[in-house]
Amino acid sequence: QVQLTESGGGSVKTGGSLRLSCVPSTYIERTYCKAWVRQVPGKAREVVASIFHTGGLNTHYGAAAKGRFSISQDTLDSTLYLQMNSLEPDDTAMYFCAAGPRSDLGDLCNRPDDFAYWGQGTQVTVSS
């Protein structure tokens, strides 16, 4: 069983930046994807960014994140990060760290409801 612990959320103004972190409780297999998924109450979950191994380490970004957000992973302790720049009010959501077998999540690890493991979430609020 993998436990994921997020931190780094908060309240910022439009144009601000935040860096989210996610620490896994144990080693996560290379065949697993890791991702940041966000959800606004009453709306569907959205994969913001994912990271996975296919030969090398690859990333995929949702449309809203491209050019503004960056997902990365510490090679020593497997901490997952999401650097968010140029934040907008539409980025306001609960952000979850998630992980699961890539076989369940598609080639780009972008099936938001199919991750096996979830963190408790960290709230990001962007005000104008």
Side-chain angles (χ1 to χ4, degrees), residues 35-77:
W36 290 96
V37 181
R38 70 185 184 186
Q39 187 167 27
V40 175
K43 294 189 177 181
R45 291 170 176 160
E46 175 188 4
V47 177
V48 175
S50 60
I51 192 166
F52 48 93
H53 286 271
T54 53
L57 196 60
N58 291 277
T59 58
H60 174 72
Y61 294 92
K66 286 181 181 176
R68 300 187 299 129
F69 296 181
S70 177
I71 189 171
S72 62
Q73 177 177 296
D74 187 294
T75 55
L76 292 179
D77 63 7

Side-chain angles (χ1 to χ4, degrees), residues 19-24 26-28 30 34 36 51-53 57 59 70-83 97:
R19 189 191 196 203
L20 307 183
S21 300
C22 171
V23 180
T26 187
Y27 173 76
I28 297 178
R30 281 197 162 201
K34 299 174 189 176
W36 290 96
I51 192 166
F52 48 93
H53 286 271
L57 196 60
T59 58
S70 177
I71 189 171
S72 62
Q73 177 177 296
D74 187 294
T75 55
L76 292 179
D77 63 7
S78 297
T79 298
L80 187 70
Y81 299 101
L82 183 69
Q83 177 66 43
C97 177

Side-chain angles (χ1 to χ4, degrees), residues 4-27:
L4 303 169
T5 304
E6 304 102 330
S7 61
S11 297
V12 296
K13 296 284 191 181
T14 297
S17 297
L18 285 172
R19 189 191 196 203
L20 307 183
S21 300
C22 171
V23 180
S25 61
T26 187
Y27 173 76

